[in-house]
Amino acid sequence: MDDFVQIDDSNKQLCCGCGACKSICPRNAIEMKEDSEGFLFPDVDESLCVKCSLCTKVCTIQKPTILNRSTYKQRYFLCSNTSPKYFKNSATIGLCTMLSESILKKGGIVFGCWLNEERWRAYHIKVEKEADLYKIRNSKYIQSDVNDTYRETKKELESNKIVLYIGTPCQIVGLKSFLRKDYENLYTIDLICHGVYSYKLLIEEIAYWHSKLGRRKIHNFRFRSKRKYPYIKGGIINFDYGVFPKRHIECPGSYSPTYACYAYNNKRIIYNARLSCYSCSFRSESRFGDLSIGDPWGMNHINMSESEIKNGRSLVMLNTQRGDSLFQQIASSMDIVEVGHNDAFRQPALLPAQREIPHERSQIYDSIGKGTYEKVVNEVLGDNLWKRYIENEKGENKLRMKRIIKKLLLRNI
């Protein structure tokens, strides 16, 4: 066994960037450093390292059997929500927000992902008040930096605080691997995840829209929206730009350079994920989170109401008794339908996959900072995204005008 984690260009696919190794190091000899693509990898200061091998013992990918998966008989639910308080400002129906409120009302702590719009980077932060939950709402498709939240979680747990930690499957495994013991006061949610891309591509996305919209300031960026298009349309980025007047943009994923490379293309290929995501160790039926939450893609054969088509519905997997008990605290506030195993696992992001790393991926990441991002993406996809976006907007405007005219005519009649 190696004395310490060693990641270089030859084995980057063996690191998911969870940060467990950094958090466990008793000498603070490990720092998570960015590579040229913007992904975090452990860097060991050998002058501080005492070769205790703790970092290799908690490595979530190289030690895949370090934790026991739950033996609880899973249950699966489709959930919808009629409360605009939750679904209006959430990526889907606001399940994580509801569960977080439940924890906070008991005096607990919630850890989740926050997007810093000054740097366009995502970080895990601690939330102690309901008024601050807005910071960790909505999906973020870029990989977050967990910073010292694993250590903070342990400190809160040992102070007998109830803690809810929300993250990608690899981050939840990283946390539990770091803790090395089960805590009755810890609740975890692993998000149903297709993979993550680098924050540097989000910066390129922002620069793209800047160039198209007259370089006005972009803010309130969201990776998902239901304001203009219904939930059933899938990924819709939206943001405000400018101040006086403040304007709003909503763009279907297939017209956004970064989204279009993230499976919103005709080939359904993810061209921009972290290397480890292509052979994710945590896409499987058994899960490490107490609950797994995400979109029920592939389950359209189960009838959707008009409200669900517009505002969304979520798939919830109860993986432990602890997760089940937490879910029951909010279940009466939603419309829920229990579904079977085969229905739940129609969601492709839950199924094991060994996906090939597309050779076009390197072209996309090599374009970072060179002013060629739009050109490279169009070449990779064989498309002109801006042209199609403009054509789509013209079509949408015509439909809106027709609806307005129809309403006016009906009113006059």
Side-chain angles (χ1 to χ4, degrees):
M1 180 174 65
D2 293 331
D3 291 326
F4 52 84
V5 290
Q6 300 182 59
I7 301 294
D8 55 35
D9 289 342
S10 68
N11 64 350
K12 282 186 173 180
Q13 74 278 7
L14 296 179
C15 176
C16 62
C18 71
C21 55
K22 170 187 178 292
S23 299
I24 200 70
C25 181
R27 296 293 301 275
N28 294 319
I30 300 176
E31 184 179 352
M32 299 299 289
K33 287 189 176 180
E34 286 182 19
D35 68 354
S36 60
E37 296 179 348
F39 292 110
L40 294 171
F41 291 91
D43 181 70
V44 180
D45 183 342
E46 294 187 49
S47 68
L48 296 175
C49 179
V50 294
K51 296 182 172 55
C52 64
S53 300
L54 281 175
C55 56
T56 62
K57 291 175 182 175
V58 301
C59 180
T60 58
I61 290 183
Q62 297 182 53
K63 296 288 181 183
T65 59
I66 192 167
L67 298 173
N68 293 320
R69 295 180 186 265
S70 172
T71 57
Y72 175 80
K73 183 173 173 54
Q74 289 171 313
R75 299 175 70 194
Y76 318 99
F77 292 88
L78 279 179
C79 307
S80 58
N81 199 336
T82 57
S83 172
K85 173 186 175 183
Y86 296 108
F87 69 70
K88 190 174 182 180
N89 296 308
S90 299
T92 311
I93 69 169
L95 258 174
C96 288
T97 300
M98 296 174 74
L99 292 166
S100 296
E101 286 180 354
S102 178
I103 293 293
L104 293 176
K105 284 174 182 174
K106 297 177 181 177
I109 303 289
V110 178
F111 290 90
C113 180
W114 166 63
L115 178 64
N116 179 335
E117 290 195 350
E118 296 301 317
R119 303 186 65 199
W120 297 111
R121 295 190 61 168
Y123 302 92
H124 261 65
I125 61 170
K126 178 168 66 174
V127 173
E128 300 179 82
K129 298 182 295 184
E130 282 190 40
D132 290 332
L133 278 177
Y134 74 93
K135 296 177 182 178
I136 61 173
R137 293 182 81 167
N138 288 284
S139 298
K140 289 90 177 176
Y141 290 5
I142 58 176
Q143 186 166 29
S144 67
D145 182 349
V146 300
N147 282 318
D148 286 326
T149 56
Y150 291 175
R151 291 176 177 175
E152 289 182 79
T153 296
K154 184 175 182 180
K155 181 179 177 182
E156 298 290 357
L157 291 171
E158 293 184 344
S159 297
N160 293 318
K161 284 274 191 178
I162 301 172
V163 175
L164 171 63
Y165 200 104
I166 307 167
T168 59
C170 58
Q171 288 171 335
I172 298 304
V173 177
L175 169 66
K176 291 193 169 185
S177 182
F178 160 76
L179 292 173
R180 294 189 291 169
K181 63 176 274 190
D182 188 30
Y183 288 84
E184 288 295 323
N185 49 330
L186 173 65
Y187 296 85
T188 56
I189 298 174
D190 67 54
L191 303 170
I192 298 173
C193 177
H194 294 269
V196 294
Y197 55 81
S198 165
Y199 80 95
K200 287 190 174 183
L201 295 189
L202 178 56
I203 290 176
E204 293 287 345
E205 178 83 12
I206 299 299
Y208 170 82
W209 290 104
H210 266 149
S211 70
K212 303 299 184 186
L213 302 174
R215 305 213 170 265
R216 296 183 180 94
K217 180 177 175 61
I218 289 175
H219 48 104
N220 296 328
F221 188 95
R222 296 290 180 269
F223 295 76
R224 298 279 295 275
S225 173
K226 302 183 291 287
R227 282 174 56 175
K228 177 178 173 182
Y229 296 91
Y231 162 82
I232 198 67
K233 289 285 187 180
I236 308 288
I237 66 164
N238 73 112
F239 54 86
D240 297 325
Y241 70 99
V243 181
F244 299 108
K246 182 174 77 171
R247 298 184 179 181
H248 184 73
I249 286 285
E250 297 215 10
C251 174
S254 58
Y255 308 131
S256 151
T258 309
Y259 259 40
C261 289
Y262 186 78
Y264 287 96
N265 56 72
N266 291 334
K267 296 179 181 178
R268 292 292 183 264
I269 295 174
I270 296 182
Y271 290 102
N272 54 13
R274 186 183 178 108
L275 289 173
S276 61
C277 295
Y278 290 96
S279 54
C280 176
S281 302
F282 313 112
R283 286 169 63 119
S284 64
E285 296 191 13
S286 55
R287 312 288 288 187
F288 287 101
D290 295 304
L291 304 96
S292 300
I293 295 176
D295 294 302
W297 302 132
M299 298 177 66
N300 291 347
H301 65 293
I302 299 177
N303 291 336
M304 297 181 73
S305 66
E306 287 188 20
S307 174
E308 289 172 316
I309 289 171
K310 182 180 178 182
N311 300 316
R313 63 182 181 181
S314 291
L315 171 64
V316 179
M317 302 170 59
L318 308 182
N319 305 318
T320 65
Q321 183 58 54
R322 196 177 305 159
D324 194 325
S325 64
L326 180 61
F327 178 70
Q328 297 309 322
Q329 294 172 28
I330 65 165
S332 62
S333 303
M334 301 177 292
D335 294 324
I336 63 174
V337 177
E338 188 161 8
V339 296
H341 171 277
N342 291 341
D343 283 327
F345 283 90
R346 287 173 181 264
Q347 162 56 282
L350 291 173
L351 302 175
Q354 293 291 325
R355 296 171 287 182
E356 286 188 19
I357 299 172
H359 68 272
E360 296 93 342
R361 181 188 181 280
S362 59
Q363 294 174 243
I364 292 168
Y365 279 101
D366 286 346
S367 72
I368 290 174
K370 296 177 181 176
T372 59
Y373 186 61
E374 178 185 1
K375 179 183 176 183
V376 168
V377 168
N378 282 337
E379 288 175 353
V380 166
L381 300 177
D383 205 347
N384 185 321
L385 298 184
W386 180 249
K387 181 181 178 181
R388 283 206 302 114
Y389 169 73
I390 294 299
E391 290 172 351
N392 179 72
E393 285 297 291
K394 288 179 180 178
E396 287 292 323
N397 287 336
K398 285 181 181 179
L399 288 174
R400 278 194 290 273
M401 286 303 298
K402 286 181 179 179
R403 285 193 289 266
I404 291 171
I405 291 170
K406 186 177 180 180
K407 285 182 180 178
L408 289 173
L409 288 172
L410 289 172
R411 187 180 298 171
N412 289 336
I413 292 170

mmCIF file with all atom_site columns, all heavy atoms in Angstrom, residues 381-392:
data_model
loop_
_atom_site.group_PDB
_atom_site.id
_atom_site.type_symbol
_atom_site.label_atom_id
_atom_site.label_alt_id
_atom_site.label_comp_id
_atom_site.label_asym_id
_atom_site.label_entity_id
_atom_site.label_seq_id
_atom_site.pdbx_PDB_ins_code
_atom_site.Cartn_x
_atom_site.Cartn_y
_atom_site.Cartn_z
_atom_site.occupancy
_atom_site.B_iso_or_equiv
_atom_site.pdbx_formal_charge
_atom_site.auth_seq_id
_atom_site.auth_comp_id
_atom_site.auth_asym_id
_atom_site.auth_atom_id
_atom_site.pdbx_PDB_model_num
ATOM 1   N N   . LEU A 1 381 ? -19.957 19.860 -31.680 1.00 0.00 ? 381 LEU A N   1
ATOM 2   C CA  . LEU A 1 381 ? -21.359 19.473 -31.826 1.00 0.00 ? 381 LEU A CA  1
ATOM 3   C C   . LEU A 1 381 ? -21.837 19.524 -33.269 1.00 0.00 ? 381 LEU A C   1
ATOM 4   O O   . LEU A 1 381 ? -22.946 19.048 -33.566 1.00 0.00 ? 381 LEU A O   1
ATOM 5   C CB  . LEU A 1 381 ? -22.238 20.381 -30.962 1.00 0.00 ? 381 LEU A CB  1
ATOM 6   C CG  . LEU A 1 381 ? -21.964 20.365 -29.445 1.00 0.00 ? 381 LEU A CG  1
ATOM 7   C CD1 . LEU A 1 381 ? -22.855 21.365 -28.739 1.00 0.00 ? 381 LEU A CD1 1
ATOM 8   C CD2 . LEU A 1 381 ? -22.169 18.973 -28.875 1.00 0.00 ? 381 LEU A CD2 1
ATOM 9   N N   . GLY A 1 382 ? -21.020 20.111 -34.156 1.00 0.00 ? 382 GLY A N   1
ATOM 10  C CA  . GLY A 1 382 ? -21.454 20.265 -35.541 1.00 0.00 ? 382 GLY A CA  1
ATOM 11  C C   . GLY A 1 382 ? -22.673 21.158 -35.632 1.00 0.00 ? 382 GLY A C   1
ATOM 12  O O   . GLY A 1 382 ? -23.650 20.844 -36.327 1.00 0.00 ? 382 GLY A O   1
ATOM 13  N N   . ASP A 1 383 ? -22.648 22.289 -34.956 1.00 0.00 ? 383 ASP A N   1
ATOM 14  C CA  . ASP A 1 383 ? -23.837 23.109 -34.796 1.00 0.00 ? 383 ASP A CA  1
ATOM 15  C C   . ASP A 1 383 ? -23.446 24.585 -34.716 1.00 0.00 ? 383 ASP A C   1
ATOM 16  O O   . ASP A 1 383 ? -22.273 24.919 -34.571 1.00 0.00 ? 383 ASP A O   1
ATOM 17  C CB  . ASP A 1 383 ? -24.571 22.692 -33.517 1.00 0.00 ? 383 ASP A CB  1
ATOM 18  C CG  . ASP A 1 383 ? -26.052 23.003 -33.546 1.00 0.00 ? 383 ASP A CG  1
ATOM 19  O OD1 . ASP A 1 383 ? -26.493 23.752 -34.431 1.00 0.00 ? 383 ASP A OD1 1
ATOM 20  O OD2 . ASP A 1 383 ? -26.766 22.475 -32.670 1.00 0.00 ? 383 ASP A OD2 1
ATOM 21  N N   . ASN A 1 384 ? -24.446 25.453 -34.797 1.00 0.00 ? 384 ASN A N   1
ATOM 22  C CA  . ASN A 1 384 ? -24.277 26.878 -34.509 1.00 0.00 ? 384 ASN A CA  1
ATOM 23  C C   . ASN A 1 384 ? -25.301 27.216 -33.441 1.00 0.00 ? 384 ASN A C   1
ATOM 24  O O   . ASN A 1 384 ? -26.473 27.470 -33.737 1.00 0.00 ? 384 ASN A O   1
ATOM 25  C CB  . ASN A 1 384 ? -24.497 27.720 -35.765 1.00 0.00 ? 384 ASN A CB  1
ATOM 26  C CG  . ASN A 1 384 ? -24.203 29.201 -35.520 1.00 0.00 ? 384 ASN A CG  1
ATOM 27  O OD1 . ASN A 1 384 ? -24.528 29.740 -34.469 1.00 0.00 ? 384 ASN A OD1 1
ATOM 28  N ND2 . ASN A 1 384 ? -23.599 29.844 -36.509 1.00 0.00 ? 384 ASN A ND2 1
ATOM 29  N N   . LEU A 1 385 ? -24.895 27.191 -32.189 1.00 0.00 ? 385 LEU A N   1
ATOM 30  C CA  . LEU A 1 385 ? -25.828 27.298 -31.075 1.00 0.00 ? 385 LEU A CA  1
ATOM 31  C C   . LEU A 1 385 ? -26.515 28.663 -31.018 1.00 0.00 ? 385 LEU A C   1
ATOM 32  O O   . LEU A 1 385 ? -27.712 28.749 -30.723 1.00 0.00 ? 385 LEU A O   1
ATOM 33  C CB  . LEU A 1 385 ? -25.100 27.018 -29.755 1.00 0.00 ? 385 LEU A CB  1
ATOM 34  C CG  . LEU A 1 385 ? -24.498 25.612 -29.611 1.00 0.00 ? 385 LEU A CG  1
ATOM 35  C CD1 . LEU A 1 385 ? -23.891 25.446 -28.234 1.00 0.00 ? 385 LEU A CD1 1
ATOM 36  C CD2 . LEU A 1 385 ? -25.534 24.537 -29.862 1.00 0.00 ? 385 LEU A CD2 1
ATOM 37  N N   . TRP A 1 386 ? -25.763 29.710 -31.268 1.00 0.00 ? 386 TRP A N   1
ATOM 38  C CA  . TRP A 1 386 ? -26.351 31.051 -31.194 1.00 0.00 ? 386 TRP A CA  1
ATOM 39  C C   . TRP A 1 386 ? -27.417 31.242 -32.269 1.00 0.00 ? 386 TRP A C   1
ATOM 40  O O   . TRP A 1 386 ? -28.495 31.781 -32.012 1.00 0.00 ? 386 TRP A O   1
ATOM 41  C CB  . TRP A 1 386 ? -25.287 32.122 -31.323 1.00 0.00 ? 386 TRP A CB  1
ATOM 42  C CG  . TRP A 1 386 ? -25.847 33.516 -31.258 1.00 0.00 ? 386 TRP A CG  1
ATOM 43  C CD1 . TRP A 1 386 ? -25.916 34.430 -32.263 1.00 0.00 ? 386 TRP A CD1 1
ATOM 44  C CD2 . TRP A 1 386 ? -26.442 34.139 -30.116 1.00 0.00 ? 386 TRP A CD2 1
ATOM 45  N NE1 . TRP A 1 386 ? -26.517 35.585 -31.829 1.00 0.00 ? 386 TRP A NE1 1
ATOM 46  C CE2 . TRP A 1 386 ? -26.847 35.441 -30.509 1.00 0.00 ? 386 TRP A CE2 1
ATOM 47  C CE3 . TRP A 1 386 ? -26.681 33.731 -28.796 1.00 0.00 ? 386 TRP A CE3 1
ATOM 48  C CZ2 . TRP A 1 386 ? -27.470 36.337 -29.638 1.00 0.00 ? 386 TRP A CZ2 1
ATOM 49  C CZ3 . TRP A 1 386 ? -27.305 34.627 -27.936 1.00 0.00 ? 386 TRP A CZ3 1
ATOM 50  C CH2 . TRP A 1 386 ? -27.693 35.907 -28.347 1.00 0.00 ? 386 TRP A CH2 1
ATOM 51  N N   . LYS A 1 387 ? -27.135 30.774 -33.463 1.00 0.00 ? 387 LYS A N   1
ATOM 52  C CA  . LYS A 1 387 ? -28.102 30.881 -34.556 1.00 0.00 ? 387 LYS A CA  1
ATOM 53  C C   . LYS A 1 387 ? -29.380 30.134 -34.201 1.00 0.00 ? 387 LYS A C   1
ATOM 54  O O   . LYS A 1 387 ? -30.494 30.652 -34.404 1.00 0.00 ? 387 LYS A O   1
ATOM 55  C CB  . LYS A 1 387 ? -27.504 30.318 -35.851 1.00 0.00 ? 387 LYS A CB  1
ATOM 56  C CG  . LYS A 1 387 ? -28.435 30.401 -37.045 1.00 0.00 ? 387 LYS A CG  1
ATOM 57  C CD  . LYS A 1 387 ? -27.778 29.809 -38.292 1.00 0.00 ? 387 LYS A CD  1
ATOM 58  C CE  . LYS A 1 387 ? -28.731 29.838 -39.481 1.00 0.00 ? 387 LYS A CE  1
ATOM 59  N NZ  . LYS A 1 387 ? -28.109 29.243 -40.691 1.00 0.00 ? 387 LYS A NZ  1
ATOM 60  N N   . ARG A 1 388 ? -29.246 28.943 -33.657 1.00 0.00 ? 388 ARG A N   1
ATOM 61  C CA  . ARG A 1 388 ? -30.432 28.171 -33.285 1.00 0.00 ? 388 ARG A CA  1
ATOM 62  C C   . ARG A 1 388 ? -31.181 28.831 -32.125 1.00 0.00 ? 388 ARG A C   1
ATOM 63  O O   . ARG A 1 388 ? -32.401 28.772 -32.046 1.00 0.00 ? 388 ARG A O   1
ATOM 64  C CB  . ARG A 1 388 ? -30.054 26.731 -32.924 1.00 0.00 ? 388 ARG A CB  1
ATOM 65  C CG  . ARG A 1 388 ? -29.778 25.874 -34.139 1.00 0.00 ? 388 ARG A CG  1
ATOM 66  C CD  . ARG A 1 388 ? -30.019 24.392 -33.885 1.00 0.00 ? 388 ARG A CD  1
ATOM 67  N NE  . ARG A 1 388 ? -29.234 23.863 -32.796 1.00 0.00 ? 388 ARG A NE  1
ATOM 68  C CZ  . ARG A 1 388 ? -29.742 23.419 -31.651 1.00 0.00 ? 388 ARG A CZ  1
ATOM 69  N NH1 . ARG A 1 388 ? -31.047 23.451 -31.444 1.00 0.00 ? 388 ARG A NH1 1
ATOM 70  N NH2 . ARG A 1 388 ? -28.966 22.931 -30.715 1.00 0.00 ? 388 ARG A NH2 1
ATOM 71  N N   . TYR A 1 389 ? -30.440 29.434 -31.193 1.00 0.00 ? 389 TYR A N   1
ATOM 72  C CA  . TYR A 1 389 ? -31.075 30.134 -30.079 1.00 0.00 ? 389 TYR A CA  1
ATOM 73  C C   . TYR A 1 389 ? -31.945 31.286 -30.591 1.00 0.00 ? 389 TYR A C   1
ATOM 74  O O   . TYR A 1 389 ? -33.099 31.450 -30.160 1.00 0.00 ? 389 TYR A O   1
ATOM 75  C CB  . TYR A 1 389 ? -30.024 30.657 -29.103 1.00 0.00 ? 389 TYR A CB  1
ATOM 76  C CG  . TYR A 1 389 ? -30.579 31.600 -28.069 1.00 0.00 ? 389 TYR A CG  1
ATOM 77  C CD1 . TYR A 1 389 ? -31.371 31.129 -27.028 1.00 0.00 ? 389 TYR A CD1 1
ATOM 78  C CD2 . TYR A 1 389 ? -30.333 32.969 -28.150 1.00 0.00 ? 389 TYR A CD2 1
ATOM 79  C CE1 . TYR A 1 389 ? -31.898 31.994 -26.082 1.00 0.00 ? 389 TYR A CE1 1
ATOM 80  C CE2 . TYR A 1 389 ? -30.861 33.848 -27.211 1.00 0.00 ? 389 TYR A CE2 1
ATOM 81  C CZ  . TYR A 1 389 ? -31.646 33.357 -26.182 1.00 0.00 ? 389 TYR A CZ  1
ATOM 82  O OH  . TYR A 1 389 ? -32.180 34.217 -25.263 1.00 0.00 ? 389 TYR A OH  1
ATOM 83  N N   . ILE A 1 390 ? -31.400 32.077 -31.500 1.00 0.00 ? 390 ILE A N   1
ATOM 84  C CA  . ILE A 1 390 ? -32.147 33.213 -32.056 1.00 0.00 ? 390 ILE A CA  1
ATOM 85  C C   . ILE A 1 390 ? -33.396 32.720 -32.790 1.00 0.00 ? 390 ILE A C   1
ATOM 86  O O   . ILE A 1 390 ? -34.487 33.288 -32.650 1.00 0.00 ? 390 ILE A O   1
ATOM 87  C CB  . ILE A 1 390 ? -31.253 34.036 -33.005 1.00 0.00 ? 390 ILE A CB  1
ATOM 88  C CG1 . ILE A 1 390 ? -30.116 34.706 -32.212 1.00 0.00 ? 390 ILE A CG1 1
ATOM 89  C CG2 . ILE A 1 390 ? -32.071 35.078 -33.746 1.00 0.00 ? 390 ILE A CG2 1
ATOM 90  C CD1 . ILE A 1 390 ? -30.581 35.668 -31.140 1.00 0.00 ? 390 ILE A CD1 1
ATOM 91  N N   . GLU A 1 391 ? -33.248 31.650 -33.577 1.00 0.00 ? 391 GLU A N   1
ATOM 92  C CA  . GLU A 1 391 ? -34.398 31.094 -34.294 1.00 0.00 ? 391 GLU A CA  1
ATOM 93  C C   . GLU A 1 391 ? -35.459 30.601 -33.313 1.00 0.00 ? 391 GLU A C   1
ATOM 94  O O   . GLU A 1 391 ? -36.661 30.786 -33.535 1.00 0.00 ? 391 GLU A O   1
ATOM 95  C CB  . GLU A 1 391 ? -33.941 29.943 -35.200 1.00 0.00 ? 391 GLU A CB  1
ATOM 96  C CG  . GLU A 1 391 ? -33.103 30.403 -36.387 1.00 0.00 ? 391 GLU A CG  1
ATOM 97  C CD  . GLU A 1 391 ? -32.497 29.243 -37.165 1.00 0.00 ? 391 GLU A CD  1
ATOM 98  O OE1 . GLU A 1 391 ? -32.586 28.080 -36.669 1.00 0.00 ? 391 GLU A OE1 1
ATOM 99  O OE2 . GLU A 1 391 ? -31.914 29.476 -38.216 1.00 0.00 ? 391 GLU A OE2 1
ATOM 100 N N   . ASN A 1 392 ? -35.018 29.972 -32.223 1.00 0.00 ? 392 ASN A N   1
ATOM 101 C CA  . ASN A 1 392 ? -35.952 29.486 -31.206 1.00 0.00 ? 392 ASN A CA  1
ATOM 102 C C   . ASN A 1 392 ? -36.692 30.654 -30.551 1.00 0.00 ? 392 ASN A C   1
ATOM 103 O O   . ASN A 1 392 ? -37.909 30.579 -30.328 1.00 0.00 ? 392 ASN A O   1
ATOM 104 C CB  . ASN A 1 392 ? -35.214 28.686 -30.142 1.00 0.00 ? 392 ASN A CB  1
ATOM 105 C CG  . ASN A 1 392 ? -36.131 28.177 -29.045 1.00 0.00 ? 392 ASN A CG  1
ATOM 106 O OD1 . ASN A 1 392 ? -36.927 27.275 -29.252 1.00 0.00 ? 392 ASN A OD1 1
ATOM 107 N ND2 . ASN A 1 392 ? -36.032 28.774 -27.861 1.00 0.00 ? 392 ASN A ND2 1
#
